[in-house]
Every structure is written in C-alpha cells, then in structure tokens.
Amino acid sequence: MDMPVARRIEIVSEAAHEVASICCYCGTGCGVRVQVRGGAVAGVRGDDSHPANRGRLCSKGLALGDTVRRDGARVLSAQWREARGEPLRDIGLTHALDMAADRLAEAIAKHGPDSVGFYLSGQLLTEDYAVFNKLARALAGTNNIDTNSRLCMSSAVSGYKRTLGADAPPACYEDLELADTVLIAGSNMAYAHPVLFRRLEAARAQRPDMKVIVADPRRTDTAAFADLHLPIAPGSDVALFNAMLHVMLREGLADEDYIARHTEGFEALRARVQTVTPEAAQRLCGVPADDIVQAARWFGKAGAALSLYTMGLNQSVAGTDKNAALIHLHLATGQIGRPGAGPFSLTGQPNAMGGREAGGMATLLPGHRDPAFAAHRAEVARLWGVDSLP
C-alpha cells in the first residue's frame, strides 16, 4: 500500500511567516501551517501542534499550496450576465452582494420567506454557520437551511437522535489509540481519511492485540489491513449487526446491568433479533456464519470497542436504520461513554459537525435543540433577539 502521508519541510526565508489554518478536504480536519512570503502562499506543511493530525498530512493536504495562485492574486470581482446565453462580465463584489440581497428580499416580499433557501458548505467555519443560520431563520424568516450534512450525514444525524437522543458523537480521535476492537463499516479510511488511518495503523503497532474488523463489500486497502474482513452483500448491514447482537445476547456478552439502567425499549429489540441467527444472516449477507460469530465475540469481549463508519452506511435508503443497528451494539454492551469505546461517525468534510452543532440544518437548532419543539424555538429566538423563529 502506498498512501503518501508525511510532513513537508521547506526552507523559508527570514521574510516569510506562517499562518495556522485547517485543511479543507476530508472530514479529518487536519491542522496546517501556511507559509506566506510577500503576500503569497509559499508552501504548506502539517501543524505539529494540532490534535487531529499531529503534523501529518496526506497527499491532498500537501498539495494545498498548489491550489493557490503563486502571485498572491485573489478573487476581486464577481461575474454577471443579464440573461442566459449572454457573455459574463465582471462586476464588483459589493455590487454582487447587493444584487443577491435584493433578489432574496424581492422573492420574500412577493412569495413569502419559504420561497428562499440556504445551502451551506461543510468547509465553513463554525462562526460562519452561526451567522448564516441567523440570516435564514431570524432575518429571512425561513427554516429552509441545510449544510452539506443533508447529503452526506443526515442518516448519522437521525441515527444518533433516534438512539441517543442527540446528534452528538460520543467518541473522539484519541479513542483510536485506546480501543481494543475497532469495527469499521462502510468506510475505506485508508483513502477517505488517510491521516486517521495512519493513526490507527500506529495504534495497532503499539498494541498488537488490537482487533480490526472491516465490513465492506469491496476488498479495499482498509479491508486488507483488517484481522477480519466481512465482505457483506450491499445493503445487508442491518442483518449483519442484528446477527452480531443475536450472538452477544446468546453468549452472555451483553451488559444487562447497563441495559437496565441506561436504555429503553431493549426488550423489543431483543425479541426482534432472536430469529436473526448467524446462519440466517449468512444467507442475506453472504458472509460465513463463523465470521459473524467471531466479529460479535471480539466486539462483545473487548475492554473497549470503537466503531468507525461513514458513507457506506449514511448514503443509503436505509441509512438511519444501519446507523441505529450499529449503535445498538454499543448500547447492548455498554461500549459507550468511556475511553476507547463508542459509535463514531466519520464526517465527509472538515466542519460538517460544526455546522450541526451550530444548528445549520432544517431539522436542528444550535446546541442540539430541535426546531419541532416550540420551547426550543422560543429559547433561540430570545438569544437572537427576535420575536419568534419559523
């Protein structure tokens, strides 16, 4: 496997200085040090002090400097055409913003606030999300606002809310170094989150007893790294997770005390998975029953079990169910809320979670409040100094 991850070390003249920033590519959110000389980008290296990457960058991060014009020029104008098919012409940015504001105001006055909508990138700063959220809800008066999480993370949002009550991943990057068993589902970390994958590689090198399970129809580089690869049939994730839970319950690997003290509705789930034996799942998933049993035992017997998952679960017609079925494994075994354990959804862009924390979705308000609840809307309206929110 040749996945270039390294730190770029460049000789910088005395006149140069460095600016701390964040890589805008994948969901890892690596810290970078941008080397600036004469007002232009001279190079980019990993930030040794940043907790996400500790100085490492993948090939995408290392190439950030190549995406910026070396002469330091910036976009100083917008482009506009009176009608489709006409050539574009430059106009000033201030004029362009005024035109956009006038068009939005005109639509709202003529058709009402729900005639407009706001769609935000997953690469914005959290503060930017907060401002756009106020613009949409408090000023324009519409709930039509979404971030990139609607396309790539909405299943994770709904899965967390359905099972844990809030869209708040109960794990962090440091858990990679503390887990005894890592279950990776629907993710090719080696390519999609290469710096995190290198952290996982280093963690297993330091703790050779760590077990890595990968559930993915493809034999990816991540799957090749695993102790156990479960090449499930596409779409059969729920059957796999329910069969693992069946084994855990059958073999006494569930934490019945945790279930009794911290969960609701578990008996209905227990009854549902009773018939989902490893043999039944084998017919649905195409994975040998013995491998399903092995995965369940490694997860259930682990001192700390961590799951990592992304678009293979999220971007699916059954994405919320897949998320919930995986989170059930953690709730059934008490593998949550302690070092090295928990269900950890890896995002697609570096600040997708920041957008969700700031309430940048039609189904969220800041701080995990819910726009469906009148009390939550009233609380945020008071904080923002407006009479009400849509």
Side-chain angles (χ1 to χ4, degrees):
M1 187 185 343
D2 183 18
M3 293 297 297
V5 179
R7 287 182 292 167
R8 171 177 291 180
I9 301 175
E10 297 186 1
I11 299 175
V12 183
S13 70
E14 292 182 4
H17 67 283
E18 288 190 326
V19 177
S21 189
I22 304 293
C23 180
C24 59
Y25 284 115
C26 79
T28 304
C30 291
V32 297
R33 304 290 299 186
V34 182
Q35 300 158 358
V36 182
R37 185 187 298 114
V41 173
V44 174
R45 67 179 181 88
D47 188 341
D48 294 305
S49 65
H50 198 278
N53 58 315
R54 301 168 180 171
R56 286 182 169 180
L57 288 179
C58 74
S59 55
K60 293 178 286 186
L62 289 172
L64 274 173
D66 299 329
T67 68
V68 182
R69 287 178 54 164
R70 294 291 176 165
D71 60 7
R74 304 176 68 87
V75 176
L76 300 177
S77 65
Q79 292 190 311
W80 161 256
R81 57 188 175 194
E82 296 285 346
R84 193 179 299 275
E86 293 187 2
L88 291 165
R89 59 183 178 86
D90 288 344
I91 61 173
L93 287 176
T94 300
H95 181 41
L97 291 172
D98 288 343
M99 290 176 64
D102 289 343
R103 290 295 181 92
L104 288 170
E106 180 183 328
I108 292 170
K110 187 174 182 179
H111 303 291
D114 284 339
S115 64
V116 301
F118 297 80
Y119 183 72
L120 313 181
S121 166
Q123 299 164 340
L124 295 179
L125 300 176
T126 305
E127 294 83 355
D128 297 332
Y129 288 123
V131 172
F132 274 113
N133 205 2
K134 288 183 180 180
L135 174 65
R137 286 174 157 131
L139 183 61
T142 181
N143 198 58
N144 296 340
I145 180 169
D146 266 328
T147 67
N148 80 300
S149 291
R150 176 61 59 202
L151 289 179
C152 78
M153 301 303 299
S154 56
S155 295
V157 173
S158 297
Y160 279 133
K161 290 184 70 173
R162 179 189 290 184
T163 55
L164 305 182
D167 173 31
C172 62
Y173 291 165
E174 285 72 17
D175 289 319
L176 291 168
E177 283 85 28
L178 302 173
D180 299 303
T181 293
V182 178
L183 171 59
I184 303 172
S187 169
N188 185 11
M189 284 181 68
Y191 275 49
H193 298 86
V195 170
L196 283 188
F197 186 72
R198 286 291 185 242
R199 285 186 64 164
L200 181 61
E201 282 186 320
R204 192 168 73 169
Q206 291 294 319
R207 303 171 65 233
D209 290 338
M210 175 191 288
K211 299 299 183 184
V212 178
I213 307 163
V214 172
D216 195 314
R218 305 167 301 163
R219 185 161 181 83
T220 63
D221 282 355
T222 307
F225 172 72
D227 298 287
L228 179 61
H229 176 212
L230 307 175
I232 62 172
S236 63
D237 308 72
V238 173
L240 171 66
F241 301 144
N242 283 350
M244 289 175 63
L245 181 55
H246 173 99
V247 174
M248 293 174 190
L249 292 171
R250 185 180 69 192
E251 300 191 359
L253 300 178
D255 188 336
E256 297 290 349
D257 181 60
Y258 182 92
I259 292 169
R261 288 187 294 114
H262 296 295
T263 71
E264 297 176 354
F266 191 80
E267 292 310 312
L269 178 60
R270 190 193 303 269
R272 185 171 186 82
V273 302
Q274 188 172 4
T275 59
V276 189
T277 64
E279 292 73 24
Q282 174 178 305
R283 293 190 292 272
L284 290 169
C285 301
V287 174
D290 289 345
D291 287 350
I292 297 174
V293 172
Q294 182 66 81
R297 288 172 176 168
W298 280 349
F299 192 102
K301 293 180 179 180
L306 179 71
S307 60
L308 304 168
Y309 51 99
T310 183
M311 303 315 161
L313 264 62
N314 294 334
Q315 295 190 1
S316 163
V317 293
T320 302
D321 291 335
K322 292 178 181 180
N323 275 258
L326 179 53
I327 294 170
H328 288 162
L329 300 182
H330 289 272
L331 294 176
T333 55
Q335 293 284 5
I336 189 170
R338 50 195 177 84
F344 195 2
S345 171
L346 302 177
T347 63
Q349 295 191 52
N351 204 22
M353 191 66 230
R356 287 146 63 186
E357 294 277 4
M361 294 182 70
T363 49
L364 296 173
L365 285 175
H368 305 292
R369 293 168 179 84
D370 193 328
F373 295 131
H376 289 187
R377 295 196 306 273
E379 180 184 11
V380 176
R382 285 194 302 273
L383 291 170
W384 287 351
V386 295
D387 293 334
S388 62
L389 294 182

